[in-house]
Amino acid sequence: DLAPLLDSDPKIKVAVYNELGQLGFIRFNFLYPPFNNPQVRRAVLLGINQKEFLDGLVGNPKYYSICLSVYSCGSPYETNVDVPTFNLNEAKKVLKASGYDGAPIVQFHATNSATIGPLSEVLTRALRNIGFNGVQTVSNLRRDAMIGALKRFAAEAEGADWAVIYYAGHGI
């Protein structure tokens, strides 16, 4: 977030030190509902706008580039063959057709990481935009507060076919 300010000073040179950049992935536990359903995962894939994540993490498009490859763009393995592009309307249709029953999802938002923190906020918004209901984000919880959040989540999910907990952070 300070790069534009630094870049405006002629005495300071701002440079890209890693031409291949970084890879980031959204991984869901595909062993359990709703993400054990390939159509639910496809809805997420279609509803994720990479630019929103890059804006949340980097901010200024001058310092990032969109890369639709599973492998690093600029590497010999770069490919975007069969990679769907962001289409929120299609994502909503696919989620509806998947049979998702509206069960709540809770995400433990890590605020102690300069990279994970902003990205989990963007993911929460994206999941809500796609049509996942009851997406709850909790952060900076002590043990007793986390257990309380899990109990409230369990009560809200009572009787639901599916319930999801997404943890963005280090260790649990």
PDB file of all heavy atoms in Angstrom, residues 33 100-104 153-164:
ATOM      1  N   PRO A  33     -19.752 -32.057   2.672  1.00  0.00           N
ATOM      2  CA  PRO A  33     -20.670 -31.100   2.043  1.00  0.00           C
ATOM      3  C   PRO A  33     -20.422 -29.682   2.561  1.00  0.00           C
ATOM      4  O   PRO A  33     -20.009 -29.524   3.699  1.00  0.00           O
ATOM      5  CB  PRO A  33     -22.046 -31.592   2.482  1.00  0.00           C
ATOM      6  CG  PRO A  33     -21.856 -33.033   2.838  1.00  0.00           C
ATOM      7  CD  PRO A  33     -20.455 -33.114   3.374  1.00  0.00           C
ATOM      8  N   TYR A 100     -27.428 -26.940  -3.281  1.00  0.00           N
ATOM      9  CA  TYR A 100     -27.000 -26.306  -2.022  1.00  0.00           C
ATOM     10  C   TYR A 100     -28.237 -25.835  -1.263  1.00  0.00           C
ATOM     11  O   TYR A 100     -29.081 -25.143  -1.807  1.00  0.00           O
ATOM     12  CB  TYR A 100     -26.047 -25.140  -2.324  1.00  0.00           C
ATOM     13  CG  TYR A 100     -25.753 -24.257  -1.134  1.00  0.00           C
ATOM     14  CD1 TYR A 100     -25.027 -24.741  -0.058  1.00  0.00           C
ATOM     15  CD2 TYR A 100     -26.195 -22.940  -1.100  1.00  0.00           C
ATOM     16  CE1 TYR A 100     -24.747 -23.933   1.030  1.00  0.00           C
ATOM     17  CE2 TYR A 100     -25.917 -22.127  -0.026  1.00  0.00           C
ATOM     18  CZ  TYR A 100     -25.192 -22.624   1.041  1.00  0.00           C
ATOM     19  OH  TYR A 100     -24.919 -21.817   2.124  1.00  0.00           O
ATOM     20  N   ASP A 101     -28.329 -26.228   0.006  1.00  0.00           N
ATOM     21  CA  ASP A 101     -29.544 -25.975   0.785  1.00  0.00           C
ATOM     22  C   ASP A 101     -29.499 -24.710   1.640  1.00  0.00           C
ATOM     23  O   ASP A 101     -30.390 -24.490   2.450  1.00  0.00           O
ATOM     24  CB  ASP A 101     -29.877 -27.183   1.654  1.00  0.00           C
ATOM     25  CG  ASP A 101     -28.893 -27.395   2.799  1.00  0.00           C
ATOM     26  OD1 ASP A 101     -27.861 -26.690   2.860  1.00  0.00           O
ATOM     27  OD2 ASP A 101     -29.147 -28.279   3.634  1.00  0.00           O
ATOM     28  N   GLY A 102     -28.483 -23.913   1.488  1.00  0.00           N
ATOM     29  CA  GLY A 102     -28.414 -22.672   2.250  1.00  0.00           C
ATOM     30  C   GLY A 102     -27.799 -22.816   3.623  1.00  0.00           C
ATOM     31  O   GLY A 102     -27.872 -21.899   4.438  1.00  0.00           O
ATOM     32  N   ALA A 103     -27.188 -23.955   3.899  1.00  0.00           N
ATOM     33  CA  ALA A 103     -26.557 -24.168   5.206  1.00  0.00           C
ATOM     34  C   ALA A 103     -25.485 -23.108   5.438  1.00  0.00           C
ATOM     35  O   ALA A 103     -24.802 -22.685   4.502  1.00  0.00           O
ATOM     36  CB  ALA A 103     -25.946 -25.561   5.268  1.00  0.00           C
ATOM     37  N   PRO A 104     -25.316 -22.678   6.680  1.00  0.00           N
ATOM     38  CA  PRO A 104     -24.346 -21.618   6.966  1.00  0.00           C
ATOM     39  C   PRO A 104     -22.894 -22.075   6.804  1.00  0.00           C
ATOM     40  O   PRO A 104     -22.586 -23.259   6.885  1.00  0.00           O
ATOM     41  CB  PRO A 104     -24.630 -21.254   8.418  1.00  0.00           C
ATOM     42  CG  PRO A 104     -25.241 -22.480   8.995  1.00  0.00           C
ATOM     43  CD  PRO A 104     -26.002 -23.130   7.888  1.00  0.00           C
ATOM     44  N   PHE A 153     -22.688 -21.508  15.737  1.00  0.00           N
ATOM     45  CA  PHE A 153     -22.741 -22.018  14.367  1.00  0.00           C
ATOM     46  C   PHE A 153     -23.447 -23.367  14.331  1.00  0.00           C
ATOM     47  O   PHE A 153     -24.303 -23.612  13.485  1.00  0.00           O
ATOM     48  CB  PHE A 153     -21.318 -22.123  13.807  1.00  0.00           C
ATOM     49  CG  PHE A 153     -21.248 -22.755  12.450  1.00  0.00           C
ATOM     50  CD1 PHE A 153     -21.658 -22.054  11.332  1.00  0.00           C
ATOM     51  CD2 PHE A 153     -20.764 -24.040  12.286  1.00  0.00           C
ATOM     52  CE1 PHE A 153     -21.586 -22.630  10.060  1.00  0.00           C
ATOM     53  CE2 PHE A 153     -20.688 -24.617  11.028  1.00  0.00           C
ATOM     54  CZ  PHE A 153     -21.111 -23.910   9.922  1.00  0.00           C
ATOM     55  N   ALA A 154     -23.125 -24.241  15.265  1.00  0.00           N
ATOM     56  CA  ALA A 154     -23.754 -25.565  15.314  1.00  0.00           C
ATOM     57  C   ALA A 154     -25.257 -25.438  15.535  1.00  0.00           C
ATOM     58  O   ALA A 154     -26.042 -26.145  14.907  1.00  0.00           O
ATOM     59  CB  ALA A 154     -23.117 -26.406  16.422  1.00  0.00           C
ATOM     60  N   ALA A 155     -25.663 -24.504  16.400  1.00  0.00           N
ATOM     61  CA  ALA A 155     -27.090 -24.306  16.644  1.00  0.00           C
ATOM     62  C   ALA A 155     -27.797 -23.800  15.385  1.00  0.00           C
ATOM     63  O   ALA A 155     -28.896 -24.246  15.051  1.00  0.00           O
ATOM     64  CB  ALA A 155     -27.285 -23.321  17.795  1.00  0.00           C
ATOM     65  N   GLU A 156     -27.150 -22.879  14.677  1.00  0.00           N
ATOM     66  CA  GLU A 156     -27.741 -22.338  13.450  1.00  0.00           C
ATOM     67  C   GLU A 156     -27.805 -23.395  12.353  1.00  0.00           C
ATOM     68  O   GLU A 156     -28.729 -23.413  11.542  1.00  0.00           O
ATOM     69  CB  GLU A 156     -26.934 -21.133  12.963  1.00  0.00           C
ATOM     70  CG  GLU A 156     -27.588 -20.405  11.826  1.00  0.00           C
ATOM     71  CD  GLU A 156     -26.857 -19.131  11.447  1.00  0.00           C
ATOM     72  OE1 GLU A 156     -26.321 -18.452  12.328  1.00  0.00           O
ATOM     73  OE2 GLU A 156     -26.820 -18.834  10.238  1.00  0.00           O
ATOM     74  N   ALA A 157     -26.823 -24.295  12.353  1.00  0.00           N
ATOM     75  CA  ALA A 157     -26.770 -25.327  11.319  1.00  0.00           C
ATOM     76  C   ALA A 157     -27.610 -26.557  11.684  1.00  0.00           C
ATOM     77  O   ALA A 157     -27.720 -27.476  10.878  1.00  0.00           O
ATOM     78  CB  ALA A 157     -25.321 -25.747  11.084  1.00  0.00           C
ATOM     79  N   GLU A 158     -28.210 -26.551  12.870  1.00  0.00           N
ATOM     80  CA  GLU A 158     -29.025 -27.698  13.310  1.00  0.00           C
ATOM     81  C   GLU A 158     -30.064 -28.048  12.255  1.00  0.00           C
ATOM     82  O   GLU A 158     -30.817 -27.201  11.796  1.00  0.00           O
ATOM     83  CB  GLU A 158     -29.726 -27.356  14.632  1.00  0.00           C
ATOM     84  CG  GLU A 158     -30.522 -28.503  15.215  1.00  0.00           C
ATOM     85  CD  GLU A 158     -29.637 -29.584  15.813  1.00  0.00           C
ATOM     86  OE1 GLU A 158     -28.553 -29.268  16.311  1.00  0.00           O
ATOM     87  OE2 GLU A 158     -30.052 -30.748  15.761  1.00  0.00           O
ATOM     88  N   GLY A 159     -30.068 -29.294  11.853  1.00  0.00           N
ATOM     89  CA  GLY A 159     -31.033 -29.762  10.869  1.00  0.00           C
ATOM     90  C   GLY A 159     -30.620 -29.535   9.423  1.00  0.00           C
ATOM     91  O   GLY A 159     -31.276 -30.023   8.508  1.00  0.00           O
ATOM     92  N   ALA A 160     -29.553 -28.811   9.193  1.00  0.00           N
ATOM     93  CA  ALA A 160     -29.091 -28.578   7.818  1.00  0.00           C
ATOM     94  C   ALA A 160     -28.383 -29.825   7.305  1.00  0.00           C
ATOM     95  O   ALA A 160     -27.783 -30.572   8.079  1.00  0.00           O
ATOM     96  CB  ALA A 160     -28.141 -27.383   7.768  1.00  0.00           C
ATOM     97  N   ASP A 161     -28.483 -30.052   6.023  1.00  0.00           N
ATOM     98  CA  ASP A 161     -27.751 -31.161   5.425  1.00  0.00           C
ATOM     99  C   ASP A 161     -26.261 -30.865   5.358  1.00  0.00           C
ATOM    100  O   ASP A 161     -25.433 -31.767   5.417  1.00  0.00           O
ATOM    101  CB  ASP A 161     -28.268 -31.443   4.010  1.00  0.00           C
ATOM    102  CG  ASP A 161     -29.665 -32.021   4.021  1.00  0.00           C
ATOM    103  OD1 ASP A 161     -30.045 -32.657   5.026  1.00  0.00           O
ATOM    104  OD2 ASP A 161     -30.373 -31.830   3.026  1.00  0.00           O
ATOM    105  N   TRP A 162     -25.910 -29.579   5.196  1.00  0.00           N
ATOM    106  CA  TRP A 162     -24.518 -29.187   5.012  1.00  0.00           C
ATOM    107  C   TRP A 162     -24.180 -28.062   5.975  1.00  0.00           C
ATOM    108  O   TRP A 162     -25.009 -27.220   6.284  1.00  0.00           O
ATOM    109  CB  TRP A 162     -24.274 -28.651   3.611  1.00  0.00           C
ATOM    110  CG  TRP A 162     -24.552 -29.568   2.488  1.00  0.00           C
ATOM    111  CD1 TRP A 162     -24.763 -30.919   2.535  1.00  0.00           C
ATOM    112  CD2 TRP A 162     -24.671 -29.199   1.118  1.00  0.00           C
ATOM    113  NE1 TRP A 162     -24.977 -31.408   1.284  1.00  0.00           N
ATOM    114  CE2 TRP A 162     -24.932 -30.378   0.387  1.00  0.00           C
ATOM    115  CE3 TRP A 162     -24.568 -28.010   0.429  1.00  0.00           C
ATOM    116  CZ2 TRP A 162     -25.092 -30.389  -0.983  1.00  0.00           C
ATOM    117  CZ3 TRP A 162     -24.728 -28.022  -0.937  1.00  0.00           C
ATOM    118  CH2 TRP A 162     -24.985 -29.193  -1.632  1.00  0.00           C
ATOM    119  N   ALA A 163     -22.949 -28.014   6.382  1.00  0.00           N
ATOM    120  CA  ALA A 163     -22.416 -26.891   7.156  1.00  0.00           C
ATOM    121  C   ALA A 163     -20.919 -26.861   6.894  1.00  0.00           C
ATOM    122  O   ALA A 163     -20.282 -27.901   6.804  1.00  0.00           O
ATOM    123  CB  ALA A 163     -22.702 -27.055   8.639  1.00  0.00           C
ATOM    124  N   VAL A 164     -20.354 -25.681   6.737  1.00  0.00           N
ATOM    125  CA  VAL A 164     -18.951 -25.547   6.359  1.00  0.00           C
ATOM    126  C   VAL A 164     -18.241 -24.619   7.325  1.00  0.00           C
ATOM    127  O   VAL A 164     -18.775 -23.575   7.706  1.00  0.00           O
ATOM    128  CB  VAL A 164     -18.820 -24.943   4.937  1.00  0.00           C
ATOM    129  CG1 VAL A 164     -17.363 -24.708   4.584  1.00  0.00           C
ATOM    130  CG2 VAL A 164     -19.472 -25.850   3.926  1.00  0.00           C
TER     131      VAL A 164
END
